[in-house]
Structure formats: C-alpha cells, structure tokens
Amino acid sequence: MSGILVVGAGGHAKVVIATLLAAGETVEGLLDDQPSRWGSMVLGYPVLGSLEQLEKPDSRAILAIGNNRVRQTLSERYPEMAWVSAVHPNSVVHSSVRLGAGSVIFAGAVVQPDTTIGNHVIVNTAATVDHDCVLEDYVHIAPGTHLAGQVRLEQGAFLGIGSAAAPGVRVGAWATVGAGSVVIRDLPPHCVAVGVPARPRQAKDQP
Ligand SMILES: CC(=O)SCCNC(=O)CCNC(=O)[C@H](O)C(C)(C)COP(=O)(O)OP(=O)(O)OC[C@H]1O[C@@H](n2cnc3c(N)ncnc32)[C@H](O)[C@@H]1OP(=O)(O)O
C-alpha cells in the first residue's frame, strides 16, 4: 500500500508527520495548493504539488491544516477519500473511545472512557479529554486544553491553548474559546468567548 499524503505544508503538518511516523506509518509526501511550497521539503518529505493528486485512485491522505473551516471544506470536496487517523503512541486513548476518520491525537494527550471523537478532529499536544465527552466533526482543542467529563463541543468549535471546560458544558458550533479561558457555562454557536469565566465577547465566526 502506498504511503500517506499529508495535505497542507505548514507547521501543523510537521506535528502530523511526526505523529504518523511515531505510529509506524509511511509518509509519501505533502500536498499544498500554494505553488511557492512545491518542491520544498518538510521534515525531509517533499511537497509534491497541488491537491489534485488526491484524485488518484487508492490514495490515502490526512488533512494537516489547523483551520477548522478549511478541513471541513476539503473533506467535503473529496467525499470518497480514505482519510487516515493518527494517534501518537505516547498518548493514552481508552479502548472504548470512538475515533472518526481523519482525526489526530498528538503526543501527551489523554482521552478517557466512552468519549466520542468525530471526523477531522484535532486533539493537540498534551490536551486531556475526560469521560463521556463528545467532540463533533472539525473540532480543534489546542495544546494543554483540559475538558472535564461530559463536555460537548459542537461541530467546528475551537478551544485555544491552555483553556478548560467544566463538567457537562456545551460549546456551540464554530465557537472560539480564547487561550487560557475557562468555560463554566454553555456557550452559543459562532461566538468568541474569553476570560475566566469565559464570556462571549462578540458574535464572530472563525476566520
Ligand atoms: C500548536 C498551536 O499553535 S495550536 C493554535 C493555538 N492558538 C491559540 O490558542 C490562539 C487562541 N486565540 C486567542 O486567544 C485570541 O486572542 C482570540 C481568538 C480569542 C481573539 O483574537 P482577536 O479577535 O484577534 O482578539 P484581539 O487580540 O483583538 O483582542 C480583543 C480583546 O480581547 C482580549 N482577549 C483576547 N484574547 C483573550 C484571551 N485569550 N483571554 C482574555 N482576553 C482576551 C484582548 O485583551 C482584547 O481586549 P481589549 O479590547 O480590552 O484590549
């Protein structure tokens, strides 16, 4: 079977490649729609060209782009793709956890029992997700984020570095929680919420 195509050649792709290699996978190269990146190397792997190469039959690929909207757009553009997930061997993921296609769990992360993780979700470095949480498709929890039990993050929610969510809270779809903020009450969709406790600052979608 051919190696994995890594989509996106930015900083997030470096950590995705490191995670794939640590998990024993083979990387073929990277794809990026920015021509200036073609022919360059990322961690010793070549940027092979544009995303058109995803149309080759039997390709296996992973979306290595931190922006939640971009991952949604690309996954919808290639509905037949066999998206690969990546789980770092130095993470702890309980056997009862359901993990969707194309999702990544980076080094040092812990995901506790009966949590459900959707498609193209990022559980970033050293984040923790406690029991019975639900992370819907395209969610990203940044490094060092901590979710208590039974937290629900709706589609596309982004939680910034070092943020936290108290037991049972719900963060609305495409909401942004600022770095270091603590969610203690439900947040509405499409808000930007910051502070301790996190309060919606304005109605604004993610970039
Ligand atoms: C491996 C990786 O790198 S993964 C990526 C991790 N990235 C992150 O964690 C980024 C998180 N981003 C943030 O926290 C950002 O500050 C955001 C998204 C919440 C807001 O960004 P912007 O809309 O550009 O806000 P801006 O910088 O203009 O600040 C607006 C106000 O909110 C305040 N504010 C912004 N972020 C925060 C925060 N995290 N906590 C408290 N207050 C904040 C600012 O101090 C400012 O207040 P003022 O108007 O009284 O001066």
Side-chain angles (χ1 to χ4, degrees):
M1 190 178 278
S2 60
I4 295 166
L5 294 167
V6 174
V7 179
H12 183 62
K14 295 181 181 177
V15 190
V16 170
I17 291 171
T19 303
L20 288 168
L21 297 178
E25 298 280 6
T26 306
V27 173
E28 186 170 330
L30 298 89
L31 303 179
D32 198 294
D33 275 341
Q34 288 185 48
S36 60
R37 287 177 162 170
W38 299 348
S40 65
M41 304 290 279
V42 177
L43 292 185
Y45 292 90
V47 182
L48 300 166
S50 78
L51 273 57
E52 279 174 18
Q53 299 197 31
L54 290 175
E55 282 151 26
K56 284 187 195 156
D58 300 329
S59 297
R60 294 191 307 144
I62 187 165
L63 294 174
I65 296 166
N67 183 288
N68 295 350
R69 283 285 186 201
V70 175
R71 290 198 311 289
Q72 179 192 37
T73 302
L74 293 178
S75 74
E76 290 174 357
R77 188 183 300 169
Y78 301 98
E80 306 301 323
M81 175 60 57
W83 297 112
V84 173
S85 299
V87 178
H88 197 285
N90 294 125
S91 64
V92 178
V93 181
H94 189 261
S95 59
S96 61
V97 170
R98 290 168 291 275
L99 182 66
S103 291
V104 295
I105 299 181
F106 287 165
V110 178
V111 186
Q112 295 289 18
D114 285 336
T115 278
T116 299
I117 295 177
N119 300 326
H120 303 288
V121 168
I122 301 169
V123 178
N124 220 313
T125 310
T128 67
V129 180
D130 225 287
H131 63 89
D132 300 295
C133 288
V134 177
L135 280 62
E136 297 184 8
D137 298 347
Y138 315 116
V139 158
H140 176 182
I141 60 171
T145 294
H146 296 300
L147 306 183
Q150 297 183 306
V151 169
R152 185 170 196 111
L153 306 181
E154 294 181 357
Q155 184 181 94
F158 169 69
L159 272 64
I161 191 161
S163 61
V169 296
R170 188 176 187 112
V171 176
W174 304 100
T176 297
V177 174
S181 301
V182 179
V183 183
I184 62 166
R185 294 183 199 95
D186 291 359
L187 293 175
H190 302 276
C191 73
V192 177
V194 298
V196 182
R199 299 184 200 281
R201 183 163 61 83
Q202 64 193 89
K204 182 182 166 189
D205 205 355
Q206 288 170 23

